[in-house]
Structure formats: structure tokens, C-alpha cells
Amino acid sequence: MADDKSTRNLLLAVCLVLLYVLDVRICFCEENTSDEFEEYLLCRQCGLEIAKASDLNKRPSKAAHRQRNDTIAGVDGVLIQLFKNPQENYFEVITAETANVQQHGQPYRQDTWWPGFSWKISICPRCGFHLGWFYEPFSQKAEERTFVGLILDNLLYQKYADNLLVVPKSYRS
């Protein structure tokens, strides 16, 4: 019994040392401003990198039930909008210029939250999890660009995911 306890204590000490070392590495990396260490939003289902924090943008919609600004993945003032679809489901949505998503289905013009834009379902290219919608303008005017509306609850911040520590059940007391 004492041997199990000492093994558990040793593993705990090793984990603490690793956390200290990783924290130092993370602090060092945060000072580096290159794209190599840019914050990402991940698919909550499988962890695939979906969008760079720098690609988040503000695209307000009059169809939103509520709007607020928040800091997401180190980007201040990200517009978060609450929408309701025809099936009475509510979604908090953020917008990005581009994202690593797969478009699914045909474009729909009806029930769009952004007038003048058609939408397609956007899914994770790795696991197929619903991440949001891809929007493209009806007309090809120069000032109108495609964008992605991402469901905030279906994403995970990379910094949060990097700090998760899974401890096997056998090591828990």
C-alpha cells in the first residue's frame, strides 16, 4: 500500500514539474509575435484547428436577437450574436473571414440571418461536427465577401485545450 502511495506521489511531482516547464515554455512563446504561435479556435468534438483568432471579424446582423462584445482567444471586441433558426434553436455566433470548414449541401437564400447572403452548412472536415454556416453574397459586388458564421458553443479555445490535464483514474485518490 505504501508503495502505491509513493508511486502516486512521484507521478504527481513529475506532473507538477512538467506543468512548470510547460508554463515557462508557454510564457516564452506568448512573447513571440510570429504566426507560428497564433491562437486558434478548435473543433470541440475532435480538436482540429478551425479558425485563427486574427481571422475573426465583426459582421453585425439586424436579425440578431442580442449582440455583445467579448474577448475571444486574445482578440478584444469580438462580436457575439444570438440567433434563432426556424426550428426555434438558439445559437451564439461569431464571424470569421475564413475558416477550415467543409461546406455541405446547396446554398439557401431563405431564412438567412444576413440579407443578401446565401448560406450552406459548415462542418468539421475531420469529424463532420456542425460548426456553423458559410455565407456568400447573392451578387458578386467587390465590397461583399464570403465569410463563416461559427457556433461559439461548438468551438474550443486552443489555450484552454492546451491546459487540460487528464489524470488516469488509477492515479486519483
Side-chain angles (χ1 to χ4, degrees):
M1 188 74 168
D3 196 28
D4 286 341
K5 189 173 184 175
S6 62
T7 301
R8 191 175 318 138
N9 288 339
L10 179 61
L11 287 171
L12 180 59
V14 169
C15 286
L16 290 173
V17 168
L18 285 173
L19 284 174
Y20 174 76
V21 170
L22 287 174
D23 190 43
V24 169
R25 196 189 98 221
I26 289 169
C27 289
F28 173 74
C29 293
E30 286 174 353
E31 293 174 9
N32 189 333
T33 58
S34 73
D35 284 345
E36 183 179 350
F37 301 111
E38 185 166 9
E39 181 77 14
Y40 279 87
L41 295 169
L42 311 175
C43 171
R44 185 173 289 275
Q45 190 75 23
C46 71
L48 183 68
E49 293 177 343
I50 298 300
K52 289 181 183 180
S54 63
D55 286 335
L56 298 178
N57 62 13
K58 287 187 177 183
R59 182 153 317 239
S61 170
K62 292 180 180 180
H65 290 265
R66 183 179 64 223
Q67 297 180 347
R68 65 184 168 93
N69 291 308
D70 207 342
T71 301
I72 294 181
V75 177
D76 293 330
V78 175
L79 181 62
I80 301 171
Q81 301 178 86
L82 181 68
F83 294 104
K84 181 173 77 170
N85 70 6
Q87 291 75 34
E88 305 289 317
N89 297 314
Y90 286 90
F91 300 95
E92 280 196 319
V93 175
I94 58 175
T95 56
E97 293 175 25
T98 185
N100 179 23
V101 294
Q102 183 178 347
Q103 300 172 35
H104 181 72
Q106 296 299 316
Y108 293 94
R109 290 185 177 196
Q110 66 275 16
D111 302 318
T112 184
W113 294 324
W114 279 272
F117 287 83
S118 61
W119 57 272
K120 294 181 190 178
I121 297 285
S122 291
I123 61 174
C124 175
R126 180 189 289 166
C127 70
F129 190 56
H130 179 214
L131 296 173
W133 302 269
F134 177 81
Y135 288 90
E136 55 191 357
F138 294 161
S139 64
Q140 298 302 320
K141 293 182 183 175
E143 67 273 3
E144 294 179 340
R145 301 183 68 188
T146 62
F147 66 96
V148 181
L150 298 168
I151 302 169
L152 189 57
D153 285 344
N154 293 358
L155 301 171
L156 188 64
Y157 308 139
Q158 179 182 12
K159 192 173 283 188
Y160 174 77
D162 287 347
N163 289 317
L164 292 178
L165 178 65
V166 178
V167 179
K169 288 181 182 179
S170 59
Y171 298 137
R172 296 182 202 153
S173 44

